Amino acid sequence: MVCYNFLMKQKPLIETNPHLRAPEQYRKALITSVASSTAIETGETVEAIASTLATETMAPPIKVTQNSSR
């Protein structure tokens, strides 16, 4: 079987992933996910971990680049 996917022009991830279009919603969901996983591993509460993560310095916003190598 021959794969011709490389011939199709692929869109950048930021255009196809709706979570990357709404950075605040994405960050909140990411903090919740990391906090719940960490809570399971450490025995801390999800709220305490989420609070710590939310007060940490935010990473710079995702930049849209043209001609992604994806």
Side-chain angles (χ1 to χ4, degrees):
M1 174 181 250
V2 178
C3 180
Y4 293 101
N5 287 340
F6 66 91
L7 297 175
M8 297 174 50
K9 184 174 183 343
Q10 294 182 336
K11 291 184 179 182
L13 187 59
I14 197 150
E15 290 180 14
T16 60
N17 187 331
H19 301 292
L20 297 178
R21 292 185 193 152
E24 288 300 318
Q25 290 177 349
Y26 170 75
R27 180 167 170 77
K28 184 177 178 182
L30 179 62
I31 288 173
T32 301
S33 176
V34 171
S36 63
S37 296
T38 304
I40 291 169
E41 296 293 328
T42 64
E44 283 285 329
T45 64
V46 174
E47 294 81 13
I49 296 167
S51 174
T52 301
L53 292 172
T55 58
E56 292 294 319
T57 305
M58 288 183 55
I62 298 169
K63 295 181 182 180
V64 177
T65 59
Q66 298 299 324
N67 300 328
S68 175
S69 61
R70 182 182 150 217

